[in-house]
Amino acid sequence: MISAHPPGGGTGSAVRGAGSLAALRTIFRRVDVVALAFDGEAAFADPAARLIARPGRPPAARRLAMLVHGGAYYADEQGARVAERLRALTRDGELLERYDLVWCHALLLARAAHDVPAGARVLDIDNVPSADLRTLAGGGAAQRAYRRALGAAFAHEEGSRAGLFDVVTVTTPAERWRLGAVRPPVVVLPNTVPEVPAAPVAATAPLVLFVGSLRYGPNVDAVRWLAEAIVPRLRELVPAAQVRVVGRGPGEDVRGWCAAAGIELVADAPSLQPHHHEARAVIAPLRSGGGTRIKILEALAYGVPVVATPEALAGLRLGCADGVAVAPDAAGLAGALARLLGAAAEAARMGAAGRAAWARDHGPAGTHAIVARIVADLIPP
């Protein structure tokens, strides 16, 4: 497995990678893992993963020059660093000279993964960057023009990289639509999260929890909206309401919004379990983006009810009967949160329904079965 984030915990991509890795380990005698990693990600990574430090963000002029090749997201330097590291690990005998299967968990590293000799190749796409750009709004004319050009470059690069593989997997039917037409067959591999201890929702304080990677643009936008529009309305309805944001890599903008709104910010938490066990509800106020939605599934696995926008639930067939309240605007989200904060028994009932939905549709068994079918189709017995 070759991944842009180490399989493990902490981010949606890492959790999805861990689920795929667990499935592959039930099929193959040996599974090697190589992954890019930010500073601090080693603490959350699968212990068997060989980690490669991510290069720094290119300067603005360099990013503009890279536009025709897929922009900074598809930086050649990152792919070259991974390819060289793979060759070094092979020379040192830590990796094999040929594999039955290469499972690439990232469009970013698709070209480097394609250089590894293998009998079959799978590309797992947990998010479609070109589609994310199409959903962004606002900005001046120059910024919008740049986003259009970058989105076109991304889309071309996505199709080109997907064409190097035998099978492509995506998280939901909506992500298959967001990806568009590609050469190999596309299989929906739903996200899964492992079983966790159920949270004591009925006994919690009126605490609202937001969880997500704070390096991801749509999550940054969600925190800003939460701080500037949702929390003030919530506190008009429930003055004692507490709000906590937990995530990796918060920047100064996120820190400032949280401080101004009186939101508790917890950066790089070693475990999410204590935070879910203290929460009455989880909020997912996303207005753009796609991909894993792992944080919603984690909340359901803990049995904590979720309040979310329709965009946050894209591709997930979840509603009130599954422990999720849906609202499209700040007033609706604040109202749904207020009802849960004021009714512990109702919050616990919704949480139990969410835990049942997780067990039905997003437990590990489903992922293992789909991965096993993909492998059986690609590799003869």
Side-chain angles (χ1 to χ4, degrees):
M1 173 182 276
I2 298 174
S3 180
H5 291 277
T11 68
S13 180
V15 173
R16 179 172 174 84
S20 300
L21 178 58
L24 292 170
R25 282 173 170 159
T26 68
I27 301 169
F28 293 93
R29 291 195 304 271
R30 170 175 173 170
V31 181
D32 294 326
V33 184
V34 178
L36 284 179
F38 287 109
D39 289 343
E41 279 193 305
F44 302 91
D46 184 283
R50 297 167 175 85
L51 304 183
I52 305 171
R54 281 178 176 265
R57 182 175 173 83
R62 173 69 176 137
R63 294 200 300 273
L64 189 62
M66 292 159 61
L67 188 59
V68 295
H69 300 294
Y73 182 83
Y74 294 115
D76 293 338
E77 291 90 340
Q78 299 199 44
R81 176 177 292 195
V82 174
E84 176 53 38
R85 182 63 175 147
L86 292 173
R87 288 191 290 270
L89 291 169
T90 303
R91 288 194 300 270
D92 294 342
E94 293 190 48
L95 297 182
L96 303 179
E97 294 186 355
R98 182 177 176 82
Y99 286 87
D100 294 302
L101 175 70
V102 166
W103 188 284
C104 180
H105 180 55
L107 274 161
L108 173 64
L109 301 180
R111 295 198 183 279
H114 184 260
D115 289 340
V116 178
R121 305 175 194 280
V122 175
L123 176 61
D124 182 37
I125 300 176
D126 67 346
N127 192 44
V128 181
S130 65
D132 281 354
L133 280 171
R134 289 195 295 269
T135 65
L136 292 177
Q143 188 177 20
R144 291 196 300 273
Y146 174 76
R147 284 204 301 260
R148 284 195 298 271
L150 187 59
F154 275 15
H156 177 269
E157 195 66 22
E158 288 158 4
S160 175
R161 292 178 181 228
L164 301 174
F165 290 78
D166 301 301
V167 173
V168 169
T169 59
V170 294
T171 59
T172 66
E175 287 297 289
R176 178 161 54 188
W177 176 83
R178 279 161 49 94
L179 177 63
V182 294
R183 183 193 62 77
V186 179
V187 176
V188 174
L189 178 63
N191 283 314
T192 182
V193 296
E195 184 173 2
V196 290
V201 175
T204 56
L207 171 66
V208 175
L209 177 66
F210 173 95
V211 178
S213 171
L214 300 176
R215 294 187 179 101
Y216 181 47
N219 284 343
V220 174
D221 173 73
V223 172
R224 181 176 185 177
W225 193 34
L226 176 66
E228 295 181 347
I230 301 169
V231 168
R233 288 177 169 85
L234 174 61
R235 290 198 172 126
E236 289 178 358
L237 301 170
V238 185
Q242 305 167 47
V243 183
R244 182 181 299 167
V245 168
V246 179
R248 300 260 290 277
E252 291 304 314
D253 48 1
V254 169
R255 294 180 184 275
W257 298 326
C258 289
I263 295 173
E264 179 187 2
L265 175 62
V266 179
D268 304 314
S271 172
L272 295 176
Q273 180 173 318
H275 303 288
H276 282 100
H277 276 230
E278 294 176 7
R280 178 74 57 82
V282 165
I283 185 166
L286 294 178
R287 296 187 287 187
S288 64
T292 57
R293 312 304 194 201
I294 287 287
K295 299 312 176 187
I296 291 176
L297 302 182
E298 285 183 331
L300 298 183
Y302 278 106
V304 181
V306 175
V307 175
T309 57
E311 291 82 0
L313 297 171
L316 296 175
R317 297 173 182 174
L318 296 170
C320 191
D322 306 305
V324 179
V326 185
D329 54 28
L333 293 167
L337 289 172
R339 287 189 291 274
L340 291 171
L341 296 186
E346 174 62 12
R349 185 199 64 76
M350 281 186 63
R355 189 168 167 90
W358 158 79
R360 182 186 68 234
D361 298 328
H362 296 282
T367 292
H368 288 208
I370 295 172
V371 171
R373 286 199 297 271
I374 292 172
V375 171
D377 289 343
L378 290 175
I379 302 175

